[in-house]
């Protein structure tokens, strides 16, 4: 056998043993033998770098260092799940979906694994990339770290499609977690609080060799691809298993809602026997055809529902209510609690939302309160234990002045939140606005973190985001914790931000209610900041999806002379305040005023490309057919109920070719 064959054989053997051990839980050789083979391969690879393979089993031990995790857009968006908490919630959901689809609806029930979600891309059977969920549209490339997780196959087996994404959850089973903590305590280090945070923290470690030491696992639950020959969710789980992925056997096919409830009730009790954490069950419409008919809301699929087991609750003493000022001037009351352990974390603070909430629950300092942790990160107070109340306590007086700048607070009619109106002079607002401007989804200024912004503001170097562009290295170097290198990074990061496209700059300006999507809409519609600045409220409302509230906010943003001056400065410094010529060239108005629904599978372009083509040419994409729909672009396997609906509403059904002709 020549060297190359020898290396290949070892790689294949090790992959196989790895699969037996970590996926099937059924090792066929001893750990010692395994280590021997691994060592042998490592030596051969070292001596013969010409046979390098990015997916060799030797990479499982890590070693690659990632300094900055690259941001990667997801080909298929990673959605959230809608939550339900009772049998009735599930019944309502079933009723809703039965109205929207044809035929009998069956469900796949799965456990909801509590870890960090991950999207894996496989090309020709090889792991190409692993990306965190991020904001659902884009995440961080953590491939080097994920390769060290033994249950993630580097090379697939069987009859897999040439290109697809598979989603799953990276978890840390209790046993490994406990062991890791024992080792930490041994070394005099602080133990980790809970498996979930430890799992997601592990993915962002820079040294993959460190990740390799952590007993992480990856459990898979969803396949995404344009040409994947699968018809049901349950089948996709089976296929994923065949291709070498770890898919828990608990998943079950339920013929009706009663069987779903059986599954839920069973696991509500037996979840404590699982080797890893679960916070609920995920119920999915089994037929992918029906899933496609149901589509998505802005945040989550209509065809899936998470059922959350009852959250843990504790009671503790509320020591003090303090108030935070956000970047928009919004005041948030915060409950400072006597530290208490809740669902694996120590809780010291809880959100109180607003004045109404405090009044409604009659929450007072010194009260014993009930704290609950649902899916959200910040726990909330759900009530007061009145039996424990001090008879001398008096109702909470909400503050009337800003705790940071003493300006009297205002509260607009119909709004729950109090605001500090001192936009230009209130420190947390000044800092918050700049922090928002530099954030990843906006100007993404590397080298400049939130704390550094506060440092720069507090030292009088900057007072608004335009000032960033005048910063000089020699001003930064003398500051606390700063040095030549960090100062240079800031200056370079600021310089690079001049290339950030207009839509993200617009988002970064921090206009109230103008989030990423709205900023994109406005940028594409108005094309330049000057056109947007001159738009009246009446005009703004005519723009698709821009309502009264947003229009009003945009107008009042540009009504300030100070704002205009800052924007003029940004323009002068070379920040992109117009849509780029290149982008403009790819856009047309051909489809203006037309709303499209896309259904089925296409041959010339993918569904995503099709949607992009519609938007780039001025059309609008909607997920369900209504009287507002102008065209349904139908591919193969278009849902029959969509077809009937389109016909009954008299909506034109066109083919992929018809559509491509249109543009
Ligand atoms: P949430 O973030 O609470 O909206 O819940 C959605 C998340 O649940 C997804 O992003 C997944 O990471 C996670 N999840 C865990 N188990 C499953 C499962 N079996 N099916 C779908 N999602 C799951
Ligand atoms: Zn203030």
């Amino acid at each position: 056998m020549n060297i190359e064959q020898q290396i290949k054989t070892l790689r294949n053997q090790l992959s196989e043993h790895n699969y037996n051990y970590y996926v099937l839980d059924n090792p066929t050789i001893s750990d010692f033998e395994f280590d021997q083979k691994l060592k042998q391969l490592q030596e051969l690879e070292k001596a013969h770098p010409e046979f390098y393979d990015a997916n060799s089993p030797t990479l499982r031990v890590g070693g690659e260092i990632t300094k900055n995790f690259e941001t990667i857009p997801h080909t298929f968006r990673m959605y959230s799940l809608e939550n339900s908490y009772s049998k009735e919630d599930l019944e309502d959901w079933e009723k809703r979906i039965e109205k929207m689809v044809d035929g009998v609806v069956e469900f796949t029930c799965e456990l909801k694994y509590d870890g960090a979600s991950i999207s894996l891309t496989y090309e020709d059977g090889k792991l190409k990339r692993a990306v965190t969920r991020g904001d659902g549209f884009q995440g961080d490339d953590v491939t080097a770290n994920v390769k060290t997780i033994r249950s993630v196959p580097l090379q697939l087996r069987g009859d897999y499609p040439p290109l697809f994404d598979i989603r799953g959850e990276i978890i840390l089973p209790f046993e490994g977690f406990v062991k890791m903590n024992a080792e930490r305590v041994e070394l005099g280090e602080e133990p980790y609080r809970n498996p979930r945070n430890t799992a997601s923290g592990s993915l962002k470690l820079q040294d993959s060799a460190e990740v390799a030491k952590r007993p992480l696992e990856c459990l898979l639950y969803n396949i995404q691809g344009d040409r994947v020959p699968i018809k049901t969710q349950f089948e996709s789980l089976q296929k994923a298993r065949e291709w070498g992925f770890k898919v828990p056997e608990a998943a079950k096919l339920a013929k009706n809602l009663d069987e779903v409830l059986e599954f839920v009730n069973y696991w509500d009790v037996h979840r404590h026997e699982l080797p890893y954490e679960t916070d609920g069950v995920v119920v999915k419409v089994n037929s992918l055809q029906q899933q496609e008919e149901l589509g998505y809301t802005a945040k989550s699929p209509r065809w899936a529902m998470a059922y959350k087991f009852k959250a843990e609750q504790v009671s503790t003493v509320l020591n003090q209510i303090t108030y935070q000022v956000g970047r928009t001037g919004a005041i948030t009351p915060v409950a400072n609690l006597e530290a208490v352990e809740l669902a694996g974390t120590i809780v010291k603070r809880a959100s109180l939302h607003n004045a109404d909430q405090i009044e409604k629950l009659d929450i007072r300092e010194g009260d014993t309160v009930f704290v609950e942790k649902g899916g959200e990160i910040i726990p909330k107070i759900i009530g007061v234990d009145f039996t424990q109340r001090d008879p001398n306590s008096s109702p909470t007086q909400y503050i009337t002045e800003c705790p940071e700048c003493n300006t009297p607070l205002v509260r607009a009619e119909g709004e729950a939140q109090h605001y500090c109106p001192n936009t230009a002079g209130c420190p947390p607002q000044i800092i918050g606005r700049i922090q928002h401007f530099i954030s990843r989804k906006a100007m993404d200024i590397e080298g400049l973190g939130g704390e550094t912004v506060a440092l720069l503001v507090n030292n009088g170097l900057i007072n608004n985001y335009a000032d960033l562009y005048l910063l000089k290295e020699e001003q930064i170097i003398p500051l606390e914790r700063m040095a030549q290198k960090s100062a240079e990074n800031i200056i370079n990061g600021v310089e690079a931000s001049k290339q950030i496209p207009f839509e993200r700059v617009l988002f970064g300006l921090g206009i109230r209610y103008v989030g990423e999507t709205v900023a994109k809409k406005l940028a594409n519609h108005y094309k330049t900041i000057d056109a947007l600045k001159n738009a009246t409220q009446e005009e703004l409302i005519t723009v698709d999806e821009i309502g009264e509230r947003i229009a009003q906010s945009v107008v009042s943003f540009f009504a300030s002379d100070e704002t205009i001056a800052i924007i003029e400065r940004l323009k002068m410094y070379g920040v992109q305040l117009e849509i780029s010529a290149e982008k403009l060239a790819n856009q047309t108005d051909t489809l203006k005023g037309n709303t499209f629904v896309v259904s089925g599978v296409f041959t010339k372009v993918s569904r995503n490309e099709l949607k992009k083509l519609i938007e780039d040419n001025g059309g609008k994409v909607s997920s369900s057919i209504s009287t507002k729909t102008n065209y349904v672009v139908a591919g193969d396997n278009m849902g029959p109920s969509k077809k009937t609906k389109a016909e009954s509403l008299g909506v034109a059904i066109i083919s992929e070719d018809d559509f491509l002709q249109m543009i």
Side-chain angles (χ1 to χ4, degrees):
M1 203 163 25
N2 67 28
I3 301 284
E4 189 176 6
Q5 281 168 331
Q6 223 176 321
I7 289 182
K8 275 199 175 140
T9 310
L10 277 168
R11 280 179 185 157
N12 287 341
Q13 287 177 347
L14 283 164
S15 302
E16 195 63 28
H17 291 308
N18 202 62
Y19 172 75
N20 291 338
Y21 189 101
Y22 290 101
V23 178
L24 301 183
D25 267 337
N26 186 19
T28 53
I29 58 168
S30 71
D31 290 0
F32 178 76
E33 281 172 280
F34 185 90
D35 288 343
Q36 288 296 314
K37 283 185 192 290
L38 189 65
K39 215 172 263 163
Q40 207 182 336
L41 178 58
Q42 272 169 333
E43 273 157 22
L44 283 172
E45 285 184 347
K46 205 165 158 205
H48 299 277
E50 66 271 26
F51 301 126
Y52 175 81
D53 179 347
N55 284 333
S56 167
T58 50
L59 293 164
R60 298 287 195 192
V61 296
E64 199 174 321
I65 307 281
T66 314
K67 274 262 174 309
N68 290 303
F69 295 97
E70 200 186 337
T71 307
I72 307 283
H74 294 298
T75 318
F76 303 93
R77 182 171 158 196
M78 289 181 86
Y79 285 88
S80 284
L81 290 171
E82 207 182 314
N83 288 328
S84 62
Y85 301 90
S86 66
K87 178 172 170 233
E88 289 71 34
D89 288 349
L90 283 175
E91 285 168 351
D92 288 347
W93 176 59
E94 188 200 26
K95 278 198 204 100
R96 260 182 285 148
I97 54 181
E98 286 197 325
K99 274 198 210 119
M100 295 178 70
V101 297
D102 302 295
V104 180
V105 180
E106 294 186 338
F107 303 92
T108 296
C109 303
E110 295 163 41
L111 293 173
K112 190 166 188 291
Y113 323 115
D114 204 10
S117 31
I118 194 83
S119 180
L120 309 175
T121 302
Y122 282 85
E123 213 175 290
D124 297 322
K126 295 198 187 318
L127 175 63
K128 185 80 190 305
R129 193 174 258 162
V131 182
T132 63
R133 170 167 139 163
D135 62 2
F137 295 98
Q138 53 182 33
D140 290 328
D141 184 337
V142 291
T143 313
N145 286 346
V146 168
K147 276 187 182 169
T148 69
I149 302 173
R150 311 299 202 272
S151 50
V152 172
L154 301 177
Q155 168 67 53
L156 301 182
R157 45 187 58 235
D159 184 18
Y160 47 80
L163 177 67
F164 65 98
D165 285 0
I166 184 162
R167 268 81 192 267
E169 201 82 357
I170 306 238
I171 55 138
L172 186 54
F174 291 121
E175 195 191 318
F177 177 70
V178 170
K179 205 168 128 211
M180 257 175 79
N181 266 348
E183 283 165 13
R184 282 182 76 83
V185 171
E186 186 95 317
L187 293 171
E189 288 171 305
E190 187 81 9
Y192 293 114
R193 285 273 158 228
N194 66 42
R196 192 217 305 156
N197 295 353
T198 314
S200 59
S202 303
L203 290 183
K204 300 300 280 295
L205 291 177
Q206 295 193 335
D207 183 357
S208 60
E210 274 309 306
V211 186
K213 289 186 201 145
R214 303 193 171 183
L216 299 163
E217 278 193 26
C218 182
L219 309 177
L220 284 311
Y221 55 72
N222 178 280
I223 297 173
Q224 295 280 333
D226 273 327
R227 283 179 194 81
V228 179
I230 291 177
K231 294 212 153 47
T232 70
Q233 168 64 12
F234 197 71
E235 184 192 342
S236 74
L237 297 180
Q238 284 168 322
K239 284 275 187 242
R241 273 186 208 111
E242 281 171 30
W243 300 335
F245 294 101
K246 186 150 187 163
V247 179
E249 296 290 340
K252 234 178 140 168
L253 186 60
K255 296 238 168 302
N256 50 49
L257 202 67
D258 283 337
E259 291 187 16
V260 169
L261 293 169
E262 236 171 72
F263 184 89
V264 167
N265 293 334
Y266 177 85
W267 284 108
D268 197 1
V269 177
H270 292 270
R271 66 180 149 132
H272 302 292
E273 297 157 19
L274 287 166
Y276 44 78
E277 250 179 326
T278 155
D279 56 342
V281 158
V282 185
V283 189
K284 298 172 186 169
V285 168
N286 191 40
S287 150
L288 299 191
Q289 165 92 57
Q290 287 176 337
Q291 287 191 2
E292 143 107 50
E293 283 177 47
L294 289 162
Y296 297 82
T297 67
K299 288 217 175 97
S300 42
R302 290 200 187 84
W303 45 262
M305 182 61 86
Y307 177 93
K308 291 279 186 113
F309 297 130
K310 240 191 165 21
E312 277 184 61
Q313 224 186 59
V314 288
S315 70
T316 187
V317 174
L318 166 60
N319 289 327
Q320 198 196 2
I321 298 174
T322 53
Y323 299 85
Q324 277 178 351
V325 188
R327 89 178 146 83
T328 58
I331 308 289
T332 314
V334 178
N336 295 269
L337 307 165
E338 198 59 49
V340 64
E341 171 135 18
L342 175 60
T345 45
I346 299 285
V347 173
K348 292 188 192 134
R349 290 147 68 84
S351 167
L352 288 167
H353 302 291
N354 54 50
D356 290 344
Q357 183 76 5
I358 294 175
E359 197 182 315
K360 195 173 112 204
L361 299 176
D362 186 18
I363 296 170
R364 306 178 185 182
E365 287 180 351
D367 274 346
T368 296
V369 292
F370 298 110
V371 185
E372 190 180 284
K373 203 164 166 193
E376 56 282 281
I377 313 217
I378 304 166
K380 57 179 181 227
I381 291 183
I382 51 163
V384 173
D385 184 351
F386 291 106
T387 63
Q388 307 275 346
R389 173 165 283 171
D390 176 356
N392 296 322
S393 80
S394 52
T396 298
Q397 294 292 320
Y398 205 78
I399 50 166
T400 54
E401 286 176 3
C402 174
E404 302 281 345
C405 72
N406 302 325
T407 308
L409 298 180
V410 295
R411 186 188 201 178
E413 201 167 327
E415 280 197 24
Q417 223 75 11
H418 284 75
Y419 282 87
C420 165
N422 182 15
T423 324
C426 184
Q429 296 191 52
I430 295 171
I431 294 171
R433 270 195 305 272
I434 303 174
Q435 285 173 337
H436 172 75
F437 184 76
I438 64 155
S439 66
R440 199 167 88 166
K441 290 183 199 162
M443 303 304 274
D444 193 17
I445 300 187
E446 271 183 53
L448 188 54
E451 277 175 36
T452 312
V453 169
L455 189 72
L456 296 172
V457 172
N458 293 334
N459 281 280
L461 293 186
I462 55 174
N463 200 44
N464 57 57
Y465 32 67
D467 293 344
L468 287 170
Y469 295 87
L470 295 180
L471 279 174
K472 301 222 164 33
E473 244 175 75
E474 56 271 25
Q475 292 178 300
I476 304 172
I477 296 170
L479 301 182
E480 209 183 318
R481 281 178 284 117
M482 288 291 149
Q484 171 88 33
K485 187 73 199 155
S486 41
E488 228 167 73
N489 283 345
I490 294 175
I491 303 292
N492 292 342
V494 169
E495 186 58 31
S497 76
K498 294 179 184 169
Q499 305 307 323
I500 296 289
F502 177 41
E503 58 187 52
R504 281 173 57 189
V505 180
L506 187 56
F507 169 63
L509 295 181
I511 308 172
R512 214 167 145 196
Y513 306 129
V514 178
E516 268 182 292
T517 326
V518 172
K520 203 181 271 183
K521 282 253 145 67
L522 290 173
N524 284 337
H525 186 91
Y526 285 99
K527 319 238 186 290
T528 72
I529 194 96
D530 290 329
L532 177 63
K533 180 179 80 185
N534 295 327
T536 62
Q537 183 153 342
E538 293 71 41
E539 281 164 10
L540 279 158
I541 295 175
T542 62
V543 181
D544 197 37
E545 281 173 43
I546 305 298
E548 191 107 1
R549 196 177 63 144
I550 299 174
Q552 208 165 29
S553 166
V554 170
V555 171
S556 77
F557 179 82
F558 287 109
S560 144
D561 289 341
E562 281 168 59
T563 305
I564 299 293
I566 291 173
I567 289 172
E568 286 306 320
R569 284 176 57 205
L570 288 178
K571 212 187 270 174
M572 200 169 75
Y573 302 144
V575 172
Q576 304 291 317
L577 290 166
E578 299 182 0
I579 208 162
S580 75
E582 188 193 353
K583 180 148 190 200
L584 213 49
N586 280 327
Q587 288 187 338
T588 74
D589 277 342
T590 320
L591 306 177
K592 197 171 172 181
N594 288 304
T595 299
F596 292 79
V597 170
V598 174
S599 177
V601 183
F602 300 92
T603 46
K604 298 211 172 99
V605 289
S606 73
R607 276 167 70 96
N608 280 338
E609 282 161 357
L610 194 63
K611 289 180 183 171
K612 187 161 180 307
L613 282 173
I614 295 172
E615 283 173 351
D616 283 349
N617 288 289
K620 191 180 154 192
V621 181
S622 163
S623 68
S624 57
I625 300 174
S626 72
T627 49
K628 291 197 188 122
T629 313
N630 300 90
Y631 298 96
V632 175
V633 189
D636 291 343
N637 286 325
M638 172 180 174
S641 77
K642 270 203 174 137
K643 185 149 189 242
T644 322
K645 185 140 189 211
E647 281 165 359
S648 71
L649 291 175
V651 177
I653 302 180
I654 60 173
S655 70
E656 182 179 2
D657 285 329
D658 296 338
F659 172 78
L660 294 173
Q661 284 283 316
M662 279 171 89
I663 57 168

